[in-house]
Amino acid sequence: MNDKIVAIVGRPNVGKSTLVNRIVGARKSIVDDMPGVTRDRIYFDATWQGRDFTIIDTGGIIIGDDDEFVNNILSQATLAVEEANTIIFLVDAKSGLSPYDYDIANILRKSKKEVLLVANKVDSPEQKDNIAEFYALGFGEPYAITALHGCGGVGDLLDEIVKDIEVQKSLEDEQDAIKIAIVGKPNAGKSSILNNLLNEQRAIVSDVSGTTRDSINSRIFYDNQEYILIDTAGIRKKSKVDYGVEAFAVDRAIRSIREADVALLVIDCEEGITDQDKKIAQIAEDSGCGIILAFNKWDLKKNVQTHTYEKQVEAEVPFLNYAKKLFVSAKTGQRLNQIFEVAKEVAFERAKRISTGILNKVVNEAFALNPPASIKGKMLRIYYTTQPKTKPPTFVLFINNKDLIKDSYKRYLLKKLRDAFGFFGVPVRISYRQKGDK
């Protein structure tokens, strides 16, 4: 997570999610005219002028409403305000000052945080003249913007947000440390594994689900390599998560996965892989971090072969076939030190870069050995392949027509890349571009 956290708050339908999309530079937050579409707090990484920060999209705040849905939105927005360093208080220049704006302003004043008043939907010089009424909220001159089109003072607003952000020295200091997020359902044994690895009672171990409420970072050296172990709250099904402290803890756990080099997904051997384990694995896959499946409580499984669980992964979670698998016991310490060794291998694979010449040779050979069938008389052509990014390994194939490549052939090319270069334990991204794409 970046050190600077910015929360966008305001009443419903003032354009919070539209502004998030404008700042992040992609259509990532849900935008709809229906008030209350954004219910949970949603976190995004953003960059402006080479400076990184985290932005939180929140639901529209309505004060004094007894509806449970509205109260949950208010609760989430309040938590975002507590967590943030800076708050963007977004108001609607088109509809003008609202009584709800006064209610929100009163809450924000109590927070003692930096508040930037921003008037959205300033589409004309006349509307810019009308925003003077928002001075009554007590936060000075509003920034006048049009989030939908990006014109107006969006750049000035971003300059103000990043003015106190320095170059991220912490990332440089920790670039050699391997970050391992220990994740999973409640009571799978995450904290017990952490305590065993650290040989100290750093995290509270309890039979009560959800004991760990926040992410806990611990540094450790093993075999001359530094690791940062991140113990996280157990991620329960969303329907069972209470809004408030637990929801905040789950958000932090998910963000820890996004920041990690490797996610150690702890699975209870007695239960096997559950639907919730699959969902957590999908979060890790989508985040691009490496994945190790740690089947815990292996000491309780007598006369059971590891391939029983390996087959379950292959049958039920085929997208995880690349994940490394360990069979461990937090109680006895069985194979726990292998976590460090395997995490180091996975981190290496995640940062692996393939030379362009060799990469094109492998892709061209795979294409020549098994060219796809023509579609309506047209043949797929692959002109060039490059790897623009690592962590995770990301490849771009330049082709003549994206309509000519089927999903089955995409899986074939991915398999050939893994066969040639490994990438054990890490997701691989492949995108396809044709002439005219940006």
Side-chain angles (χ1 to χ4, degrees):
M1 182 185 66
N2 301 314
D3 291 337
K4 182 71 174 274
I5 301 176
V6 180
I8 300 182
V9 300
R11 60 186 175 86
N13 214 28
V14 294
K16 294 183 294 298
S17 295
T18 303
L19 179 56
V20 168
N21 290 334
R22 175 60 54 190
I23 292 174
V24 173
R27 194 177 177 86
K28 293 186 176 180
S29 196
I30 299 172
V31 179
D32 196 290
D33 288 336
M34 179 182 292
V37 168
T38 304
R39 179 174 181 177
D40 299 329
R41 304 186 315 288
I42 309 174
Y43 297 81
F44 300 98
D45 293 326
T47 300
W48 179 251
Q49 304 293 355
R51 300 173 189 272
D52 300 331
F53 59 98
T54 297
I55 193 158
I56 311 175
D57 190 11
T58 65
I61 301 175
I62 300 178
I63 310 298
D65 196 308
D66 293 330
D67 181 81
E68 182 181 358
F69 178 80
V70 173
N71 285 335
N72 284 336
I73 292 176
L74 176 58
S75 175
Q76 292 295 297
T78 302
L79 285 169
V81 169
E82 292 176 359
E83 186 182 6
N85 310 108
T86 298
I87 300 154
I88 295 176
F89 179 13
L90 199 63
V91 293
D92 189 333
K94 188 169 291 185
S95 63
L97 192 58
S98 162
Y100 293 130
D101 293 330
Y102 284 106
D103 292 332
I104 297 168
N106 290 333
I107 292 176
L108 297 183
R109 268 191 291 273
K110 294 175 184 177
S111 73
K112 307 295 184 183
K113 301 291 182 67
E114 178 188 30
V115 177
L116 304 177
L117 180 62
V118 180
N120 189 26
K121 307 180 187 178
V122 182
D123 299 325
S124 67
E126 292 77 16
Q127 285 177 336
K128 188 169 185 179
D129 293 337
N130 293 336
I131 67 173
E133 64 178 324
F134 293 106
Y135 277 92
L137 296 173
F139 294 109
E141 182 179 358
Y143 288 85
I145 69 166
T146 304
L148 183 62
H149 304 297
C151 53
V154 175
D156 293 337
L157 173 63
L158 289 169
D159 286 341
E160 181 66 22
I161 289 172
V162 303
K163 67 179 182 181
D164 58 347
I165 301 177
E166 297 181 359
V167 176
Q168 295 287 334
K169 295 182 180 179
S170 60
L171 294 179
E172 296 174 3
D173 295 339
E174 295 180 359
Q175 62 182 350
D176 295 329
I178 297 172
K179 302 183 189 70
I180 305 174
I182 305 175
V183 298
K185 298 188 308 176
N187 219 27
K190 300 181 299 297
S191 295
S192 296
I193 287 177
L194 175 69
N195 290 335
N196 199 309
L197 292 174
L198 296 175
N199 291 318
E200 61 174 282
Q201 196 73 6
R202 174 66 185 270
I204 300 171
V205 179
S206 170
D207 289 333
V208 179
S209 297
T211 302
T212 302
R213 289 292 192 182
D214 205 348
S215 300
I216 302 172
N217 291 15
S218 302
R219 292 177 180 270
I220 186 172
F221 282 86
Y222 179 83
D223 196 21
N224 296 319
Q225 172 64 52
E226 183 181 12
Y227 297 86
I228 298 175
L229 303 179
I230 309 168
D231 188 24
T232 64
I235 302 176
R236 295 199 289 166
K237 291 182 179 178
K238 192 168 186 179
S239 61
K240 295 183 178 180
V241 173
D242 297 326
Y243 279 88
V245 176
E246 183 179 5
F248 176 62
V250 170
D251 280 342
R252 289 293 297 271
I254 293 173
R255 289 167 62 197
S256 294
I257 293 174
R258 291 173 57 196
E259 298 159 20
D261 299 301
V262 180
L264 181 74
L265 175 52
V266 181
I267 298 169
D268 189 331
C269 272
E270 295 190 288
E271 296 185 25
I273 299 177
T274 66
D275 287 342
Q276 190 62 7
D277 292 323
K278 298 173 188 176
K279 290 176 182 176
I280 298 170
Q282 188 66 62
I283 292 170
E285 157 88 9
D286 293 342
S287 299
C289 69
I291 303 176
I292 300 173
L293 303 181
F295 293 88
N296 190 29
K297 307 179 184 179
W298 191 245
D299 57 301
L300 301 179
K301 307 302 289 184
K302 306 299 181 183
N303 302 317
V304 177
Q305 301 297 317
T306 59
H307 67 74
T308 301
Y309 294 93
E310 292 167 349
K311 286 183 177 179
Q312 185 190 13
V313 172
E314 186 175 350
E316 298 184 19
V317 207
F319 76 87
L320 275 184
N321 283 338
Y322 67 81
K324 287 285 192 173
K325 303 167 188 69
L326 290 175
F327 298 86
V328 304
S329 169
K331 184 176 181 181
T332 67
Q334 183 181 17
R335 300 192 188 94
L336 286 187
N337 281 347
Q338 289 186 18
I339 290 172
F340 293 121
E341 298 163 4
V342 174
K344 187 175 182 179
E345 293 175 13
V346 171
F348 174 81
E349 294 289 318
R350 186 169 177 262
K352 184 186 290 184
R353 185 177 291 278
I354 309 302
S355 71
T356 302
I358 295 175
L359 177 60
N360 279 273
K361 181 179 179 181
V362 168
V363 172
N364 292 340
E365 184 177 281
F367 183 83
L369 288 172
N370 182 25
S374 64
I375 298 178
K376 295 181 179 180
K378 296 181 179 180
M379 293 292 298
L380 174 72
R381 293 181 181 178
I382 299 177
Y383 299 124
Y384 186 72
T385 305
T386 185
Q387 183 185 1
K389 289 176 57 180
T390 62
K391 298 183 180 181
T394 302
F395 300 92
V396 178
L397 275 69
F398 294 88
I399 60 178
N400 60 328
N401 190 331
K402 287 190 284 191
D403 294 333
L404 298 177
I405 185 164
K406 296 182 178 179
D407 289 342
S408 58
Y409 201 75
K410 291 178 181 180
R411 290 192 293 270
Y412 165 74
L413 291 176
L414 174 59
K415 182 179 183 301
K416 287 299 182 181
L417 286 176
R418 287 194 180 278
D419 288 345
F421 306 118
F423 300 121
F424 305 112
V426 299
V428 173
R429 306 275 192 260
I430 304 180
S431 63
Y432 298 85
R433 293 184 188 173
Q434 66 185 46
K435 189 174 182 180
D437 285 350
K438 295 182 178 180

